[in-house]
Amino acid sequence: MKKKYIYLLLFIFISKINILATNVYFRTNQLGYLEDDIKVAVAMFPKAYNNITNNSFSIINLFNGDSIAIDSIKITQTWQPMEMCARIYFSSITTPGEYKLIGFGNESPTIHISNNIYSGAQEIPLYYMRQQRCGYNASLGDSCHRHDGILVLSREKDGTYINVTGGWHDASDYLQYLTTSANATTQMLVAYLTNPNVWEDKFDSNGNIGCNGIADILDEVRWGLEWMIKMNPNDTLFLNQIADDRDHRMAVLPADDKVDYGWGKGRHRPVYPCAGFPYGLMGNLNNSKGLASSVGKFSSTFGLGAIAFAKTDTIFANELRRRSQIAYKVAKANPGACQTAPCVSPYYYEEDNWVDDMELAAVLQYANTNNQKYLLEAIDYGRQEPITPWMGADSAHHYQWYPFYNLGHILLSSHPEKKISNEFSRNMRSGLQRVYERGKDNAFLNGIPFIWCSNNLTVALVTQAMAYRKLCNDNQFIEMETSMRDWLFGVNPWGKCMIVGLPKDGDYPRDPHSALTNLEKIQVTGGLVDGPVYYNIFKSLKGVHLRNDDKYASFQNSIVVYHDDYSDYSTNEPTMDGTASTTIFLGILASKAHQ
């Protein structure tokens, strides 16, 4: 057996000497494949070949050196500047172990096959969430932004101090948004409630190392919920944002943030209310038209939190339930989208839709009260947006349709009344079908639009596909589902894993747009980076450039780009909400090890 392994290594070494590795580039899931997965690698050829067959490739078992035939090969649309691409199938290999794909004088990274490969991966995003904490931050051993904040654009309340310290920084800047924070909290709640037994307890509620008898993901959820309570200081005031893009004047560690917003360097930061009209401080205005998108998120997140804490902390759960009901009434009375506030630049989260937020809020009112009127209202809201609009679209504005998947649809699809479940299952299926149609002919089955934060859309697609498959017992999208999951772990043109530090020996971002990494070489473990964008977006954004040579230049084209470069905040910046969204599908995959 040892002899066979030595022969294998010798074969690979000789092949590398005699035949240029650039004959083919292999893209595989660098974390690995589950035993019953549809297993696919993508081959990218700098030049086209006419005689590629199944025999052009083989799989080598690294344990015993055996050569295994691939199942099949499918030539696909190419990815420029490559001249040819193919999908290589090897699903018949189900024996746990380590393998390599061999062909055209090159080899793939090691291919891991096991039902245990995702065990522990579900915890990795929580490292980034703890790192993003505002106020006391155990990961950095310091506190920051302790003077938040001063109300602005709040009419008679302008200039009032309000204690809103806490929550998470949105990305590598230190702004904080109700929109993304509420969604992040909801995503982690769903991840916990879907698979409560897979989550570990290694940190306390403040993020310090040490068990406290509570799953770490619930500690993170509570951190978000308690900040949201601060952002809802009374029954009529709902706050939407802390700080603005004046934050971008300096890149420092959080505790060293000395931006002066008018109240002294490093002192108070502005706090913006939820507003149903266009607003901004320095000439740039958003396009807000109502309160329902933001206040609806208050309602749904509080409502789901009430369910999660009902058995372990009834006082907290009851308070969340009360706040959820009040927020629902306010949101219902103020339809329309509430956007974040621009300041010195014209950028903001351009959320246009809001009925999805109200659908989810209504579903959770129904879950907490069993009052049929909320179910009927949820159905009505859901019918106003049967498909999340980015699904099947070529492009979209930044965060125009957010959240990126509709949890209300998923919950209504699980309703015991068939008429209801069938309608919303059909809506989910239609959205998935639209994305599938856009990507079915390309090598990666990727049909999402490459807008800013495209990786967030990828995670949303995987999450919806998983939910649809389980709820409807329908596997028609399973290859797209696994392909888009694999995209996040290296089956993409750049061979890039999109979550920092996962897998630990993978090709993940080493130069992310993060002050922590740039200044102190602190790895932002668990952070999901924005992901590839249309080249037109990359070249249009202010301040985006490359400070180093592009090591992925051979795979860039005039349509879509990705750069592992600090100065490209459009593709390589980790985001808090995108990271939180990965906990759902990673928790599901990790549960395989417990079955």
Side-chain angles (χ1 to χ4, degrees), residues 340-360:
T340 63
C343 189
V344 296
S345 66
Y347 301 143
Y348 56 95
Y349 288 164
E350 301 175 66
E351 186 174 7
D352 274 347
N353 59 339
W354 56 274
V355 292
D356 56 335
D357 297 299
M358 293 304 297
E359 176 188 354
L360 177 57

Side-chain angles (χ1 to χ4, degrees), residues 362-363 366-367 370-372 374-376 378-379 407-425 428 471-472:
V363 170
Y366 171 63
N370 204 32
N371 187 329
Q372 284 288 121
Y374 293 120
L375 176 61
L376 296 177
I379 293 170
L407 178 58
H409 277 14
I410 293 174
L411 295 180
L412 288 174
S413 294
S414 64
H415 193 276
E417 187 176 328
K418 283 297 182 182
K419 184 177 179 181
I420 297 173
S421 63
N422 287 344
E423 176 180 351
F424 285 90
S425 296
M428 291 175 65
L471 286 169
C472 302

